[in-house]
Amino acid sequence: MAADLSLYRNIGIFAHVDAGKTTTTERILKLTGKIHKLGEVHEGESTTDFMVQEAERGITIQSAAVSCYWKGHRFNVIDTPGHVDFTVEVYRSLKVLDGGIGVFCGSGGVEPQSETNWRYANDAKVSRLIFVNKLDRIGADFIRVTEQVKKVLGANPLIMVLPIGREETFVGVVDLLTRQAFVWDESGLPENFKVTDIPADMADDVEMYRQQLIETALEMDDDLLMAYMEGEEPSIEEIKRCIRKGTRELAFFPTFCGSAFKNKGMQLVLDGVVDYLPAPTEVNPQPLTDEEGNETGQYAIVSADEPFRALAFKIMDDRFGALTFIRIYSGVLNKGDTILNSFTGKTERVGRMVEMHANDRTDLTTAQAGDIVALIGLKNVQTGHTLCDVKNPCTLEPMVFPEPVISIAVQPKDKGAIEKMGVAIGRLVSEDPTFRVETDVDSGETILKGMGELHLDIKIDILKRTYGVELIVGQPQVAYRETITREIEDSYTHKKQSGGSGQYGKIDYRIRPGEVNTGYTFKSTVVGGSVPKEFFPAIEKGFKEMMSTGPLAGFPVLDVEVELFDGGFHAVDSSAIAFEIAAKGAFRQSMPKAAPQLLEPIMKVDVFTPEDNIGDVIGDLNRRRGMILGQESGAMGVRVKAHVPLAEMFGYISHLRTMTSGRGQFSMEFDHYSPCPNNVAEVVIAKEKEKKANK
């Protein structure tokens, strides 16, 4: 019997670090009867943060998926991390959600990280409600935060409720649609509230905001708007229908407020999820793609009657083994089914299937379109793989992950733990596609690569605690790149004559700087067959293999174009391998002459600082070779945006906290590669040469 999908809501909760996102999730679970004792994040006891690292740092690292029920509707809730090093988690979660709740702090407002997450959600076209939390905090101001949402995020908040009281006198909210006041007592229990008349001093405000609410909502329905202009008030049902439509089309975002910690205002948010966020069938279906990632024009229609299609969006290791979280887009999955992983071309058998409740689970025998479940014991599935019906192979839109920008060398403290370390790191890599590992061929060192200092810090912490592997950690290294700045025309001949068949390949070529972000491109303008066509792939491959180690310091080479324009071959002695060797020799011979240049990763840095420290912060960014792009003043302080080389940002957070007496915050993400100044490049190149000499 297929469940009624109109009663499903797949929602994510996302926000800035410390906006109270996990507490909000806790409250939703409490209200929906999933937990009996409330865990408090600041006591390190929340339900969805079950990793030791999460409880300790008070931040959510992994997104946990939990199912619960409210007023006959099933919610699948995904709690996502807010810290910038983990945005890949947010990005992944958004792929499988139908709606979301954006949580903002009533006093902190729209912080740097909320902007990145909001942008991801816009890209993924996810409908959202806004919940302004912590209204009992000093300095909290609901209307100011809604103004910030407009200004900083360029979004249109649709105010659904008004707070009663401010800061420590905050006691409840007025529902603008029904004109009812909900007032909670001081017990902190969510069910202890009364519905009363609107406080007399709020009557004018309520009418003003209610009128704004209705006018904005009715823009979704011309007939109702005309009638309203002529003095005919629409019914609450009609207004809700319009709000639902506008929310789905991202025309506006219904905005609620409260205090999750004090349990005030949460029920209205849950009602909002039911009333305004889309069911799985109302969201634009996921496009199917071919192996190259080009859309085929077909879609995964959300329906139990279609062939089975699902996306693996998260892999997690826990004490029961590997869990693969999947979002089922179409069809039905039964325990014991054999399914196809379209990425590897291999089939997998579904042994156990569970519904998650943070750290507990319920075994399932069947799941269907719209569900988010975890499968136990799949072998070769990674994040972003499509699982589908064996007879109907397909690929859901593939996920794109950013390249890591920072690396560190590690070795186990105990020499005997090398194998144990390898297994543990392997597990972490399969869980997180932005975390990579490689072995330095010359030194045999293990190199870990990631998105930032915190990202790698936490991985090392997990290795120590969860897997018992203690590591000696080297200095963080920047992922430099190399390129060339001058065009060069050259010729190279590879010939070897020594008994038996020889080898011969001659190439005439030009190497020139390519367009930015093109990587490596190869083209041939050979005419008259002086180099037969069948050798072109070998020449292209020879150059390509060499691009991984540049002429200056052995870093990968970017943005180079190679053009083959002439050459020569021998009827007997020429072979693909001879031309591949010629291309490699040509690279070694010509690249050093093409004025090679070192490139460094430049980060987009967003710093929040109190007004009084702005001079120090900008001066410090300038000393770090930063380029200030702009600054905006807000109620709480100033946001400074800048481009700064990654090499200058190590340990920045402790420095920023010292300058701002602990009030500064920052986020950064990779932006682009840019030429390294000579004095910096010389030091980096010298260091690399010394490293090689010592090996």
Side-chain angles (χ1 to χ4, degrees), residues 77-93:
V77 185
I78 293 187
D79 178 24
T80 62
H83 196 285
V84 69
D85 283 352
F86 306 105
T87 40
V88 59
E89 289 275 346
V90 179
Y91 180 73
R92 248 193 278 184
S93 311

Side-chain angles (χ1 to χ4, degrees), residues 562-577:
V562 176
E563 178 196 346
L564 177 70
F565 66 87
D566 204 358
F569 75 107
H570 185 284
V572 181
D573 292 348
S574 284
S575 62
I577 192 81

Side-chain angles (χ1 to χ4, degrees), residues 218-286:
L218 296 188
E219 283 171 12
M220 296 290 125
D221 186 322
D222 293 346
D223 298 345
L224 288 176
L225 188 61
M226 293 302 288
Y228 179 66
M229 293 301 187
E230 284 156 19
E232 192 182 319
E233 168 110 355
S235 72
I236 295 223
E237 262 47 60
E238 287 172 324
I239 300 172
K240 280 187 171 176
R241 197 190 73 233
C242 290
I243 297 175
R244 190 177 176 87
K245 181 174 182 233
T247 306
R248 228 180 87 192
E249 293 173 7
L250 307 188
F252 46 68
F253 303 91
T255 301
F256 299 85
C257 66
S259 162
F261 176 54
K262 296 274 174 61
N263 268 311
K264 295 175 182 173
M266 297 304 298
Q267 285 93 332
L268 287 89
V269 181
L270 295 181
D271 290 344
V273 171
V274 168
D275 288 341
Y276 309 125
L277 288 181
T281 46
E282 296 172 299
V283 178
N284 291 337
Q286 282 282 338

Side-chain angles (χ1 to χ4, degrees), residues 103-114:
V103 181
F104 296 101
C105 170
S107 60
V110 179
E111 291 162 292
Q113 192 47 42
S114 355

